Amino acid sequence: MKRLINRVHQLSLILIFFVTSFGLALAQSSPMTEPQGLPATTELWNGLYLKLRLSDKWWWYQENHYRRRSSIDNRSDFVGRMGQVYNRFGMTYLFTDNFEVTFGPTLVWNYTPEPGNPEFETSVLEPRIWHQWLLTQGVGRVKVLHQFRFEHRFKRLNNVGDDYDFTNRYRYKITAYVPLNKPKMENKTFFIAPSNEIFFETGKTKLNIFEENRLYTAIGYTYNNLMFFGGHMWTYGPTSTLGIYRNRHIIRLNIMYTFDFRGNRKPLTRDFQF
């Protein structure tokens, strides 16, 4: 099993190089009506993460997000309109200390792009089923995470009377936890966590399989059962109009809480991952 996991780690590094290069190639080969794409927009994402260890092998996993986005007439105000209320739930099974699988439902409310416009519904529910594989790798002092996530989405626009479409989304993210004041990730650790995530999506109405690339750098601190982290994320990807690309600057502020129901034990450093 250890040899297999090491092989998977090596293959995943090759995969992220391939998919990132492939995504950028797709973007560059698509016709651009505006060479720089659309002007950048801004958003603010606030998140609460919850991880409850129920037994040696089973966990409860939960995310709750409150997301706002910039105004229509002011792309740099971050909070002018509602964006999403995002709730993800799941059960996690720990196969080894370095490999786990999570599965469960997601409920997302997508808010109108134009508040007050009667042509759009105020909010629309987007249900999903999701599952993921998470592999953890130690590289010296650095903890590296490889996250493969799959989402099966029932989505629609906020236009009044719009129909639901079914799409499949494929995501890969690589994250590095770099401790700054400790030899490894443990309690009372300041850290920096750069990550890169690439998204692909398929469906009957999808014109471009490449959906988005996200570059995120978080800084944070662990304290007992809590982890505080936040930072800046830049995203780039196509819009629903062929050849037009968007990019966003997003500030993310998050708290993670972990609890171990097996007894009065110290927080495990592997609990802190997002």
Side-chain angles (χ1 to χ4, degrees):
M1 176 61 76
K2 184 176 181 180
R3 179 177 296 178
L4 175 61
I5 291 175
N6 287 335
R7 285 291 180 87
V8 172
H9 285 153
Q10 295 169 3
L11 290 174
S12 62
L13 290 173
I14 297 172
L15 177 63
I16 188 57
F17 174 79
F18 170 77
V19 296
T20 302
S21 301
F22 180 61
L24 292 174
L26 283 173
Q28 292 172 358
S29 63
S30 300
M32 296 280 287
T33 59
E34 295 184 32
Q36 286 78 37
L38 293 173
T41 59
T42 57
E43 301 187 18
L44 174 65
W45 292 6
N46 300 290
L48 173 65
Y49 294 75
L50 180 66
K51 298 186 71 175
L52 305 178
R53 189 155 196 175
L54 308 176
S55 67
D56 289 345
K57 292 294 185 180
W58 285 99
W59 303 68
W60 169 260
Y61 180 81
Q62 180 176 330
E63 297 178 21
N64 303 100
H65 298 266
Y66 177 78
R67 299 176 175 177
R68 296 192 67 89
R69 55 183 170 176
S70 56
S71 304
I72 297 175
D73 56 354
N74 184 356
R75 290 176 174 265
S76 61
D77 67 2
F78 287 92
V79 296
R81 292 174 290 166
M82 270 298 300
Q84 291 178 317
V85 173
Y86 193 109
N87 303 283
R88 176 181 284 124
F89 311 94
M91 293 296 298
T92 297
Y93 184 78
L94 189 66
F95 283 89
T96 72
D97 286 341
N98 298 314
F99 177 61
E100 64 185 52
V101 173
T102 304
F103 56 91
T106 303
L107 297 174
V108 180
W109 277 268
N110 297 306
Y111 284 80
T112 175
E114 298 183 23
N117 188 338
E119 296 182 2
F120 297 101
E121 296 186 24
T122 301
S123 65
V124 169
L125 176 63
E126 180 187 322
R128 307 176 188 175
I129 300 296
W130 72 288
H131 47 103
Q132 76 172 25
W133 313 329
L134 185 67
L135 297 113
T136 305
Q137 177 185 20
V139 182
R141 301 172 61 243
V142 179
K143 182 169 131 179
V144 179
L145 270 59
H146 305 277
Q147 176 183 287
F148 300 85
R149 180 172 290 178
F150 312 93
E151 297 175 319
H152 313 290
R153 310 166 74 187
F154 298 89
K155 55 186 292 188
R156 52 162 291 193
L157 299 176
N158 285 78
N159 302 63
V160 173
D162 196 60
D163 295 326
Y164 275 93
D165 288 327
F166 176 76
T167 65
N168 292 297
R169 183 196 249 179
Y170 312 93
R171 306 167 55 171
Y172 172 75
K173 179 168 70 172
I174 182 169
T175 305
Y177 285 83
V178 184
L180 301 178
N181 64 323
K182 301 276 187 174
K184 62 179 182 179
M185 288 295 296
E186 56 186 72
N187 192 26
K188 299 182 180 180
T189 300
F190 288 100
F191 66 90
I192 185 170
S195 67
N196 183 37
E197 185 169 19
I198 191 164
F199 295 67
F200 295 96
E201 188 173 18
T202 58
K204 291 183 179 179
T205 60
K206 295 297 293 182
L207 299 176
N208 196 333
I209 188 174
F210 168 60
E211 183 185 12
E212 191 168 64
N213 191 59
R214 296 179 181 177
L215 291 171
Y216 177 41
T217 300
I219 57 174
Y221 181 70
T222 63
Y223 183 76
N224 294 335
N225 294 78
L226 293 168
M227 181 170 76
F228 306 92
F229 60 100
H232 170 264
M233 182 169 72
W234 177 75
T235 77
Y236 178 80
T239 66
S240 57
T241 302
L242 186 64
I244 302 297
Y245 283 70
R246 70 169 184 176
N247 67 97
R248 300 178 294 171
H249 294 282
I250 301 171
I251 299 299
R252 300 184 60 176
L253 304 174
N254 304 282
I255 298 175
M256 176 177 283
Y257 177 75
T258 68
F259 189 81
D260 193 340
F261 281 100
R262 296 174 302 167
N264 185 20
R265 304 186 183 187
K266 295 181 179 179
L268 301 177
T269 57
R270 74 167 317 281
D271 300 355
F272 294 123
Q273 50 199 31
F274 60 94

